[in-house]
Structures are given as structure tokens and as C-alpha cells.
Amino acid sequence: MKPAIKSFVAPHRTLMGPGPSDVNPRILQALSQVTIGHLDPVFVDLMDEVKQLLQYAFQTNNALTMPVSAPGSAGMEAVFVNLIEPDDKVIVCQNGVFGGRMQQNVQRCGGQAIMVQDEWGSATDINKLEQTLKQHPDAKAVAFVHAETSTGVRNDAKTLCALAKQYECLTIVDAVTSLGGIELDVDGWHIDAIYSGTQKCLSCVPGLSPVSFSLNAIEVIKNRRSPVQSWFLDMDLVMGYWGQGTKRAYHHTAPVNSVYALHEALVILQEEGLESAWQRHAEMHDKLRDGLEKLGLRFVVKAESRLPQLNMVQIPEGVDDAAIRHRLLQEFNLEIGAGLGALAGKVWRIGLMGYGATQRNVDYCVDALSQVLK
Ligand SMILES: *Cc1c(COP(=O)(O)O)cnc(C)c1O
């Protein structure tokens, strides 16, 4: 039987969860342009510009800076499969869901993950990492999440990297939610491998993962004992496609229109300026915090390690989590995030990311919550 399915029409939501965030209409317009060939010289020039714009966003001169053609999880995987080989020891700092995924990646590469655990909602303890580095002088890398989206915690990337470098470890950083929302300085902080996503503070459509590797990291990749087990994510092969100049070898077909979108998202970031974008996120967070606290909602994370772009608040006693989120979606077209893992049903996660980090969204969210919590 032929199904009688009609064209899909997306509802207009206000996205204030953990991502995707509201996409700037300029980006949607860029996305909807005609598709061109991925080896067209015009597209090759566009790829070069995306690379330069990403270098700006990450604050790096790393030549190996590009978007992996798949979501943030693929960027994570690209970093681990290229750098980690069987029997490598990697110290993984975990204080939420995404640190746990780093652990799984290390293990699937045949490596040994040495865990530094901190409570969900607290920042990674520098002293614990130092203890662990002392106990494991043969560790190859230290990996951690800069902006833990599952809890709204900011880990002190600069200090964690400086410590890892004292012990001559590679530094691997998850910047999926941090890029464009809070200060990030890949070269200044000595980050060797980093991955991000498009749908959080860049406010672009989901599906690409910007990554960057230092010369140090490239050296490690070149000296691997075994080939990278993933064909698609093998950086040696991908570089033949995303590398400098016009002599590009076909590797896979880039998601052409998504690359238009990322280009526009990064042009918007460049126009605003990194520091101004960070400042805007901080200011909107302050306003949202004041509004939520007036409603009697309490933040879980200590002020000094809170992320402006991801606000985790306790659900008040006796309030039905799912019912409230359902009403917000149905009556206000407003999406906020639920708690993950042990925090499910106990917290809400309210995102203020990129294009969505505005006074309008702050007011809309506080007003909607005040009505449904009455
Ligand atoms: C969203 C997120 C990811 C995964 O990104 P996807 O694009 O969903 O694959 C990884 N790490 C962190 C910290 C995230 O917030």
C-alpha cells in the first residue's frame, strides 16, 4: 500500500533546552541555497573560509581544524580513534554524562580509562587530577568536558590543561557546548585535540562537528603503531579532503548545504566578536538567574562553576516534571531540558545558547514558567 503522507511542516518552537538551540534565520537562509558540487572550486574556497573561521572560534593556528561531517558525538569519536591505541592509558575526568562517553570511547579503542570522578553538579577537582597524574606517570592523555551539558558545570579547562602539560600528557577537550558561549583558547591553553558541535552556542543546524588537532597531536597520529580502526574518521584520509589548497581527493561527499549553514553561523560569530558573544551569554544568564530565583527556583551548581549557557535548577517539591514540560511545549511552544541519569525528574536544564541567548527568550521562559507553576 502506498502511504498517504503529507509534507512535513515544523512548528515554531523556542528552543531552551540542552540543544539544538534556536537557529538564526540567516543560517536557515544560507542552508536553503542551491546545492553545488562538493569539489566545485567555489565550494573548495568555502571550505577554506570555514577552516579560517573555525580557527578564529577555537583561537588556534592549528592547520588540522575542520568540521567532521557528523554530529558532536562523531567529533568525540574522531578524536579518540585517532589518538588512542590499544593499551594506552587515558585519564578521564567525569562529572556528568559526557565524561562517561569519553570513558567508553577510550575503552572501545582498547585503551585503559583511569577515572577521576566528581559529583554531578560539581566541577572537576584539580587536586584529584594531580593525584591521579602522580599515580599514573605513564598516562598518555588527560580528557575532560569543558562545558558539561548534563549538569551545567564549567570545568576549569585552562588549569586542567596546564596541569596535564606538567605531566607531559596530551590534552583532549569536549567543547561541544562551550564553543561560542564561554571563553575558550585552544592554543593559549595548550589543548591538543578538541571537538565541538554546531547546534549549541553556534546556533547552527545539528549535524557537523568542528574539530582541531595540534601539531603535537598530529605527531602522535603519524606515529601510530596500528592503523585507525575507523575508515571514515581516519584524520589522515580526511585531511586529503579538507587539507589546504585545491588538490582535494574525494573522501566522502561533504554535507554541502550544512557547510553553507556553518559558514554563516561562524560569520555571525565573527561579526559579533568572540568576547562580545561570551559577554552576552554571561549577561543573559544573570537575568535568567534573577528571574528563576524570583519564582523560587534554586540553582544546583555553585555560582563559580555555573555555565551561563546551561542553567540547571531543582524542580520544586511536588511538581510533576513531565507534565510541566509538556505544558510548556503545548501551550508556549517552549522546550526546556529534562534531567539526565540520576538527575532525571529532579532538575530542569534551561539553555541560553547562541541566537537564543536574548532578553526576549529570558523573559519568555520566566513568564511561561511562572504561569505553569501557578
Ligand atoms: C551535545 C553534546 C555532545 C554530543 O553532541 P551530538 O551533536 O548530540 O552528537 C557531546 N558532548 C557534550 C558536552 C554535549 O553537550
Side-chain angles (χ1 to χ4, degrees):
M1 260 246 302
K2 185 171 82 167
I5 297 173
K6 300 210 171 60
S7 299
F8 174 71
V9 180
H12 281 260
R13 308 283 201 211
T14 298
L15 300 179
M16 297 183 74
S21 57
D22 281 344
V23 177
N24 188 319
R26 272 177 63 182
I27 296 171
L28 294 176
Q29 211 159 27
L31 178 82
S32 68
Q33 295 179 89
V34 288
T35 302
I36 61 176
H38 71 120
L39 296 173
D40 185 314
V42 172
F43 189 71
V44 171
D45 288 346
L46 182 81
M47 287 164 83
D48 281 338
E49 287 190 356
V50 167
K51 193 163 147 181
Q52 285 176 48
L53 289 161
L54 281 176
Q55 286 172 326
Y56 167 68
F58 277 131
Q59 301 206 78
T60 182
N61 292 316
N62 289 341
L64 185 43
T65 301
M66 43 147 262
V68 169
S69 301
S73 306
M76 178 186 285
E77 190 130 358
V79 164
F80 285 100
V81 296
N82 281 278
L83 291 176
I84 306 308
E85 293 190 74
D87 302 326
D88 283 345
K89 257 190 193 179
V90 181
I91 298 175
V92 177
C93 305
Q94 182 180 16
N95 52 350
V97 168
F98 293 100
R101 291 194 179 175
M102 286 180 144
Q103 174 186 28
Q104 289 178 33
N105 267 275
V106 170
Q107 289 166 346
R108 281 173 187 244
C109 293
Q112 190 188 346
I114 314 290
M115 302 305 290
V116 174
Q117 295 283 0
D118 276 286
E119 253 176 65
W120 292 30
S122 299
T124 292
D125 183 341
I126 307 289
N127 298 322
K128 278 191 201 167
L129 174 60
E130 181 146 38
Q131 287 299 315
T132 311
L133 280 161
K134 280 184 183 148
Q135 281 162 14
H136 299 277
D138 54 340
K140 180 179 187 175
V142 170
F144 64 89
V145 180
H146 186 200
E148 201 15 289
T149 324
S150 62
T151 60
V153 164
R154 177 206 301 247
N155 287 314
D156 182 353
K158 185 181 181 180
T159 307
L160 291 168
C161 287
L163 188 57
K165 283 294 157 197
Q166 275 178 32
Y167 291 82
E168 287 167 17
C169 285
L170 287 169
T171 48
I172 296 175
V173 178
D174 177 323
V176 175
T177 289
S178 62
L179 186 68
I182 51 172
E183 186 186 6
L184 172 63
D185 184 355
V186 168
D187 287 359
W189 296 351
H190 307 290
I191 295 171
D192 289 304
I194 191 160
Y195 55 91
S196 188
T198 45
Q199 78 277 25
K200 312 232 173 162
C201 294
L202 296 181
S203 272
C204 187
V205 291
L208 290 175
S209 177
V211 296
S212 186
F213 293 85
S214 70
L215 286 175
N216 208 355
I218 292 172
E219 206 52 39
V220 169
I221 297 172
K222 281 196 184 135
N223 291 314
R224 284 180 62 97
R225 306 181 292 272
S226 52
V228 174
Q229 66 267 33
S230 164
W231 178 85
F232 183 63
L233 298 173
D234 182 339
M235 280 300 139
D236 238 13
L237 301 177
V238 174
M239 266 311 269
Y241 185 51
W242 268 94
Q244 213 73 47
T246 44
K247 257 183 48 203
R248 297 204 189 218
Y250 167 65
H251 177 257
H252 65 281
T253 307
V256 171
N257 292 59
S258 294
V259 177
Y260 300 164
L262 177 58
H263 182 274
E264 189 66 8
L266 293 168
V267 165
I268 291 167
L269 180 63
Q270 172 202 249
E271 283 172 8
E272 180 175 20
L274 276 179
E275 291 80 7
S276 307
W278 302 335
Q279 183 67 27
R280 176 170 50 86
H281 282 86
E283 283 168 10
M284 291 307 138
H285 160 77
D286 287 348
K287 289 170 192 277
L288 180 70
R289 177 205 55 217
D290 291 350
L292 294 175
E293 285 181 345
K294 268 200 196 116
L295 296 180
L297 292 167
R298 301 240 311 272
F299 276 74
V300 181
V301 177
K302 283 203 198 111
E304 66 265 23
S305 42
R306 267 177 216 162
L307 288 171
Q309 65 270 51
L310 198 288
N311 298 269
M312 183 163 86
V313 290
Q314 259 167 26
I315 299 174
E317 203 68 46
V319 169
D320 183 342
D321 169 31
I324 291 287
R325 281 185 296 106
H326 181 77
R327 278 193 63 197
L328 289 174
L329 197 64
Q330 294 310 309
E331 295 169 31
F332 297 88
N333 272 304
L334 174 63
E335 179 180 283
I336 65 167
L340 287 181
L343 294 168
K346 299 199 173 114
V347 298
W348 288 317
R349 292 178 303 145
I350 303 176
L352 275 177
M353 299 182 181
Y355 184 66
T358 58
Q359 181 76 57
R360 187 203 154 273
N361 274 13
V362 168
D363 293 344
Y364 191 65
C365 178
V366 171
D367 183 52
L369 272 169
S370 80
Q371 293 191 49
V372 294
L373 285 173
K374 251 192 209 132

